[in-house]
Amino acid sequence: MLKESLRMSWKNITGNKMRTFLTMLGIIIGVTAIIALITTVQGATNEMTSQFAALGAGKVTVSVTGTPIKRGLSSEDIARIGACDNISGVDPGLSFTRHVAAGGTLLEDVSIEGHGSAYFDDPELIGQGRGLTDMDMSRYSQVCVIDGDVKAALFPNENAIGQELVICGLTFTVVGVTSDDASNDVMRAMTSMTGMSTNGTILIPYQTAMRALGSGTINSLTLHIADTALTDETLSDVEEVLNAAFNYRDDAYRIINLDSLLDTMNTMTGMMTTMLAGIASIALLVGGIGIMNMMLVSVSERTTEIGLRKALGARPVLIQVQFLMESVLLSLMGGIVGILLGNVVSYVIAQIVGIGFAVNLGAVSLAFGFSASVGILFGWAPARKASRLNPIEALRSM
């Protein structure tokens, strides 16, 4: 009987193709919107998260405001922090903007960044030459690593390695050129967001940068954590060193855990995805109302058929199942078409925007389950109405 009910339901659905299509249209639009929104947002989120994680995974930033007596961290303070357990590297950092000259060419407003050797542990950072080493730091070497913008401006048609340029009246030798990978693109984007418009970046040893500025302290550190599972314990040890350095003034420094920021960003994007999916689900509810309206019309049109089947002994539950099957089939057909269309739309958007595309199985499952639920929910009332028709009254309409 179930097989026969399914066959009859399919026959009734295909018997009026235009009405069936218009009824499914609301489900198709709703499912397409859910798939496209969730998949596109997830792709963009994954792209941002991967780039952010590449910059900040296993790193902790210490920002020092200092006290009236002590403005920043000394070399001894930095050494004590580096001696803490689970610290694999310390990158003191400072930056300023200066004009740079090379071979009779003056390049204005170049960002000069002083870094420690730990900054160059990233194997993708250097595209040509080498990074800065501990020996460069301890010897106050006047060597530098330039980015592609500086190379194009000062050494456009020649090998930049071994060339000399002048910064703050000091002559520096170029030992490396950074690569144009995704992390550098993110750094440029972050620089532009802060409003610092420069014509390139030059990296020099932080001790040399301190000497060029006439400064004896550092106000920014990036700590490399060896085991991220022990981050909390490591930060407690770092805080003890900082508290002793600044006479236990809590407002003298800030510790920013980039892994915590990444978790916060993931939470926020998850909330945004849920909100967008909820908004798109309104279209599914509209489609469900369309299904219920069609099924009510179908019950009215087939009153005689229902009465005849009941008179011949058909049980009310089988009639109810048949109409419920029609509703669920309509909803699932619209859901399948919407899933296919939604993934196509997501792929097109991903290609246009330039983000990665992957079929979101969670979104597909959600859309499929939601469309089936809509068919059951909005098909129940018409199916129940059909099963409760009085056969005698139904046959009178013949």
Side-chain angles (χ1 to χ4, degrees), residues 197-249:
S197 178
T198 62
N199 293 317
T201 302
I202 297 177
L203 310 176
I204 64 177
Y206 80 93
Q207 290 97 333
T208 308
M210 292 171 63
R211 185 172 63 181
L213 289 176
S215 173
T217 58
I218 289 290
N219 296 97
S220 178
L221 291 177
T222 298
L223 309 180
H224 296 251
I225 307 298
D227 185 358
T228 55
L230 302 175
T231 299
D232 292 339
E233 294 83 348
T234 304
L235 293 185
S236 297
D237 295 338
V238 172
E239 287 178 355
E240 290 182 8
V241 176
L242 291 172
N243 287 333
F246 294 104
N247 198 23
Y248 295 89
R249 287 280 299 271

Side-chain angles (χ1 to χ4, degrees), residues 27 284 287-289 291-292 295 323-332 368-383:
I27 300 295
L284 277 179
I289 294 172
I291 289 178
M292 183 170 64
M295 296 305 299
F323 280 88
L324 198 57
M325 279 184 177
E326 289 185 32
S327 175
V328 173
L329 279 175
L330 279 171
S331 186
L332 288 180
F368 189 82
F370 208 155
S371 60
S373 301
V374 165
I376 296 172
L377 179 64
F378 289 93
W380 179 262

